[in-house]
Amino acid sequence: MNKKTPKPKKYTLTLSERESARLVIYADSCGISRPLALQRLMKQALRQVAAVPANNCDANQLGLFDTLQIDIFNNTAVVNNKE
């Protein structure tokens, strides 16, 4: 059986002139090429994002099953039933 190695995915990134200049300065200060600098910055940012747990609230559900409470002054409040 031949095992296939997964091909890396390619993405296109558009930078403004100011961001491009910052990238060149960063790459020159590290002594690396711009694509390698982008790769390092992306990996670093993704590690930081992965370290913070995501909010598991499904915003696309529009609160269909939220419980509303109405007090004696006719004020409404959403009751959070999550445990």
Side-chain angles (χ1 to χ4, degrees):
M1 295 180 122
N2 293 336
K3 291 186 178 181
K4 293 184 182 180
T5 58
K7 291 184 180 180
K9 293 185 175 20
K10 292 186 178 187
Y11 294 95
T12 303
L13 182 68
T14 304
L15 298 175
S16 68
E17 288 183 32
R18 183 175 289 171
E19 291 169 336
S20 179
R22 289 178 183 160
L23 177 65
V24 170
I25 292 169
Y26 175 76
D28 289 343
S29 68
C30 293
I32 55 177
S33 65
R34 287 175 297 162
L36 185 59
L38 275 174
Q39 186 177 14
R40 284 186 183 178
L41 289 170
M42 185 63 62
K43 284 183 179 181
Q44 184 181 39
L46 288 174
R47 275 190 219 111
Q48 290 174 355
V49 170
V52 177
N55 188 1
N56 292 334
C57 179
D58 293 336
N60 61 350
Q61 294 300 316
L62 302 176
L64 294 176
F65 301 105
D66 286 346
T67 305
L68 287 178
Q69 271 186 345
I70 300 176
D71 63 7
I72 61 172
F73 300 111
N74 209 16
N75 295 327
T76 59
V78 177
V79 177
N80 190 358
N81 293 329
K82 294 182 183 177
E83 297 168 286

